Every structure is written in structure tokens, then in C-alpha cells.
Amino acid sequence: MSPASTSHAPALADWPGLPPLLQRLAARGVERSYRKGTLLIEEGSQGDTLYLVLSGQLRVFSCDHRGREITYGMYGPGEYVGEMSLDGGPRSASVITETPCRCVLLTRASLLEHIRAEPEFALELIAKVIQRARAATLSTKQLALNDVYGRLKHLLEDPETAQQRLTHQAMAQRLGCSREMISKLIKDLEQGGYLVKAERGRYERVRTLPARW
């Protein structure tokens, strides 16, 4: 069975969740459905395609020669990935589907056509690149200046993270460390009365986390 099924992009009304500017962009591409675990983009490869997410969630990550991964971000409906390759360079990261996904696949040519027709989208694209560059700078700063506990503390205190179900492996991938280290720290925090495991695998803070561990 193919990991993706294809259909031509339907009418704008079929994407009521997207803002009008992105609906018109989606109309220039091809809609595809992907199973969980499908690698859409491989780091270092050449490509000029961009994926606009309609449903599901994508994970952007890198992997070293030992197979250790670090996650740069998670992207859902209304987000797009692949824009960093539009300069003609190799892919700077890999992208995989974390859940079954529907995406619109757009080529560099169709994106340039859209920008010519709707110049305001260029500002949207620039703002998105700047936003992600800032996030990457913050992530690099945390990796360089914080120990593993400091990075885990920041992750657990993030309001958005508090609503997500994150396995120890997923935390390790986000923080650039081993799953065993995360498991040990989480266990210590639970035993210390700082964390409790809530429904659906989420963790809730019941006390203010200490500055250092």
C-alpha cells in the first residue's frame, strides 16, 4: 500500500480552516494524504517542494551518525514546511508525519506564481522565516547554556507543551539528549512531588520546579 494518496487541489470552500491567503495558495498545489511515519523531506537532499498542512502533525528534525535525533518543531494545520530550500540549497532538516496527515504539495514555481499574484504573501513568508530563525536561535542558546535539567524545566513550563502528550523519547528528541536521562529526571521529579502523570500521558506540575537539580 502506498504511503501517500493523491488528489488535485479542490475548491477553496473545501479548506474552511485556512485563512483566505493560504486557501488561494493551496489551490495551486496537489492535495495528498500520508500515513503516520512517512518521511516527507530528508536532510541534505535537493528539493523545491513545500508542504502546507491541512490536518495532522509534522515533525521537523535532524539526526546524527549515531541515530540520535533532535526535534526543531511540530507543525499542524495552517502551517507549512520546506520553505528553507527555496533558495536552491539542500534541505536543512528532515520532516516526518507524526500522525496521519493531509497536505498540499506545492512546487517552487507554483509558490513564485502565488507571490507574483499576491505580493502580500511574500511578507507572510518572510515573517514565518524570521519567526523560525528566532526559535532556532533560542533553541541553540538553551542547548549551549543549559544542562539537560534546565532544558527539561523550560519544556515542562511551556504552556503549549503542557497540553501535549509527550513520551520520554519525544522529550529527548526535543532536548537533544538520551531517553534514559529524561526518564531518570522525570522519575526524580515525580518522587520529589514536583510532577504527577495526568490523563493521556501528560505531566502536570504540582509545585514550582527548582531552578537547579
Side-chain angles (χ1 to χ4, degrees):
M1 180 178 179
S2 171
S5 59
T6 305
S7 63
H8 289 289
L12 301 186
D14 290 342
W15 300 308
L18 294 179
L21 195 61
L22 288 183
Q23 288 187 29
R24 294 192 291 274
L25 173 63
R28 298 179 182 274
V30 176
E31 183 177 330
R32 291 185 175 175
S33 296
Y34 299 94
R35 295 183 298 185
K36 177 181 177 180
T38 301
L39 187 66
L40 302 182
I41 294 173
E42 185 174 6
E43 182 177 2
S45 64
Q46 294 294 136
D48 67 349
T49 51
L50 179 145
Y51 294 85
L52 172 60
V53 186
L54 302 177
S55 66
Q57 196 168 54
L58 305 181
R59 180 168 66 93
V60 180
F61 70 98
S62 284
C63 185
D64 68 11
H65 67 282
R66 292 174 292 180
R68 293 194 309 177
E69 295 181 1
I70 182 167
T71 297
Y72 299 124
M74 308 289 290
Y75 300 100
E79 295 278 350
Y80 45 85
V81 299
E83 76 285 351
M84 298 299 287
S85 70
L86 296 176
D87 64 351
R91 300 288 194 178
S92 59
S94 297
V95 179
I96 195 170
T97 57
E98 282 291 289
T99 66
C101 291
R102 285 191 307 120
C103 301
V104 172
L105 180 61
L106 295 139
T107 64
R108 183 176 186 272
S110 59
L111 179 61
L112 292 177
E113 288 176 6
H114 186 65
I115 291 174
R116 281 193 289 268
E118 312 228 18
E120 64 269 32
F121 182 73
L123 297 177
E124 151 86 17
L125 186 60
I126 291 170
K128 185 70 69 177
V129 170
I130 292 173
Q131 178 186 19
R132 291 180 180 175
R134 284 178 175 161
T137 300
L138 177 60
S139 178
T140 301
K141 179 180 177 181
Q142 290 172 352
L143 284 171
L145 301 181
N146 289 334
D147 58 13
V148 174
Y149 172 73
R151 303 198 296 270
L152 177 62
K153 178 177 181 290
H154 184 272
L155 183 70
L156 293 172
E157 291 176 340
D158 184 342
E160 182 177 336
T161 302
Q163 304 304 315
Q164 299 176 6
R165 179 187 179 279
L166 289 177
T167 64
H168 292 185
Q169 182 63 38
M171 292 183 191
Q173 289 170 345
R174 290 199 184 192
L175 301 179
C177 62
S178 69
R179 182 186 60 79
E180 291 76 14
M181 177 64 75
I182 293 297
S183 297
K184 182 181 184 305
L185 286 171
I186 291 292
K187 181 179 179 180
D188 289 347
L189 290 171
E190 287 181 302
Q191 291 178 342
Y194 294 97
L195 289 181
V196 295
K197 195 167 186 177
E199 73 279 0
R200 293 180 296 177
R202 293 186 302 106
Y203 286 95
E204 291 184 357
R205 288 180 291 120
V206 292
R207 292 169 56 192
T208 300
L209 298 178
R212 296 185 180 277
W213 192 263

